[in-house]
Amino acid sequence: MSDPQTQIITIDGPAGAGKSTVAKQLAAELNLSYLDTGAMYRALTLKAIRQDVDLEDEDALVTLARQTTIDLENHASRVKVFLDDENVSEAIRTIEVTNKTFYVARAPRARAIMVEWQRAIGGRKGVVVEGRDVGTVVFPRATKKFYLDADIGERSRRRIAELREKGNDVDADKLTAELKERDHKDKTRNVGPLKKADDAILIDSTHLSIDEVIGEMLKHIKKDG
Ligand code: C5P
């Protein structure tokens, strides 16, 4: 296998396909660190909401990003997200932040700053990185690329179960509609849209367990090692 210190494994795909769970476990299995790029978009969005920054104003988002430090810490399979030293791991997962993250995601100059941060982290040591554009834009020369997909029905069921487990009251139809809208926005924006890199391996997780997905990925990673 290539040097684990420099190995970069990318996992792109839509929300609810299982990227986070799979990426964390794969990183632990391969002794790599784990990078959740979505957490960065979420953290900057959270700061903009709190400071009442106009999310449609790209200059304001760029200025805000330049005044911001986002740190991601891995502790075993637990990941903590720090926004200017405050632990925002839970605060970035609210429905409001989820539904407003597209403003930062579609702003080219704000995105460029996120990409720069991601490359800096990925350049330090081997990493499993998940997001929407990590195989296409952030790490086009990654060691191995995956695109993890699943049916909208299955992705929506997973999200509903996840939210209900945390004690949230979920309107299933509304959540499915929001998921579809987020997919659409992620796939159609002009910069860093969600798409499979030509050299990414497609895995459909609709009928697969987490362990089966990881098994499949490990097979590909070890095959070319
Ligand atoms: O992965 P997660 O669902 O936390 O991502 C939240 C949002 O952040 C996505 O819907 C997308 O709009 C944005 N994002 C992005 N590029 C990435 C990761 C996330 O635009 N690499």
Side-chain angles (χ1 to χ4, degrees):
M1 214 181 301
S2 51
D3 180 0
Q5 289 307 308
T6 56
Q7 226 178 12
I8 294 179
I9 295 173
T10 62
I11 307 177
D12 284 307
K19 296 188 302 293
S20 298
T21 315
V22 164
K24 274 182 228 165
Q25 289 189 25
L26 189 66
E29 185 92 25
L30 295 169
N31 197 20
L32 300 174
S33 64
Y34 160 68
L35 174 57
D36 173 4
T37 60
M40 291 186 171
Y41 290 88
R42 287 172 178 273
L44 187 63
T45 303
L46 175 66
K47 186 166 175 177
I49 294 171
R50 283 176 171 178
Q51 297 197 359
D52 229 357
V53 168
D54 179 0
L55 288 162
E56 309 225 24
D57 181 345
E58 184 171 6
D59 287 338
L61 290 177
V62 169
T63 304
L64 190 71
R66 293 217 171 98
Q67 297 161 350
T68 300
T69 315
I70 296 171
D71 263 333
L72 305 173
E73 276 183 17
N74 293 280
H75 294 286
S77 61
R78 283 175 174 270
V79 179
K80 287 187 185 165
V81 183
F82 291 90
L83 172 64
D84 300 322
D85 295 330
E86 176 195 346
N87 184 346
V88 293
S89 311
E90 293 293 324
I92 59 168
R93 306 282 162 200
T94 63
I95 291 171
E96 184 189 13
V97 172
T98 302
N99 289 343
K100 288 185 173 166
T101 300
F102 77 93
Y103 288 107
V104 174
R106 73 177 183 186
R109 286 180 293 126
R111 263 200 104 79
I113 296 173
M114 305 281 134
V115 170
E116 207 178 286
W117 289 345
Q118 292 155 22
R119 287 186 181 143
I121 294 174
R124 271 186 231 147
K125 82 176 272 263
V127 71
V128 177
V129 49
E130 62 139 311
R132 303 294 187 288
D133 63 340
V134 292
T136 49
V137 175
V138 188
F139 297 111
R141 293 159 57 86
T143 323
K144 192 57 80 185
K145 300 178 185 177
F146 295 99
Y147 187 90
L148 190 59
D149 208 345
D151 279 0
I152 178 72
E154 179 58 23
R155 291 193 285 117
S156 162
R157 271 192 291 281
R158 288 176 191 166
R159 266 295 138 91
I160 291 165
E162 208 176 283
L163 288 166
R164 287 196 174 142
E165 204 171 294
K166 287 186 188 161
N168 293 289
D169 193 11
V170 189
D171 175 335
D173 289 342
K174 189 159 173 258
L175 186 126
T176 307
E178 285 171 355
L179 206 57
K180 278 187 188 164
E181 194 184 333
R182 194 143 71 96
D183 282 356
H184 179 71
K185 285 186 173 130
D186 279 339
K187 287 179 176 169
T188 55
R189 67 171 162 255
N190 292 329
V191 280
L194 167 63
K195 67 171 182 195
K196 181 187 160 303
D198 290 340
D199 52 350
I201 295 154
L202 172 67
I203 298 180
D204 185 335
S205 74
T206 309
H207 303 292
L208 299 180
S209 68
I210 298 294
D211 284 348
E212 286 170 326
V213 173
I214 292 172
E216 183 79 9
M217 289 180 170
L218 284 172
K219 221 167 54 192
H220 287 287
I221 293 165
K222 289 180 176 159
K223 184 173 71 187
D224 302 334

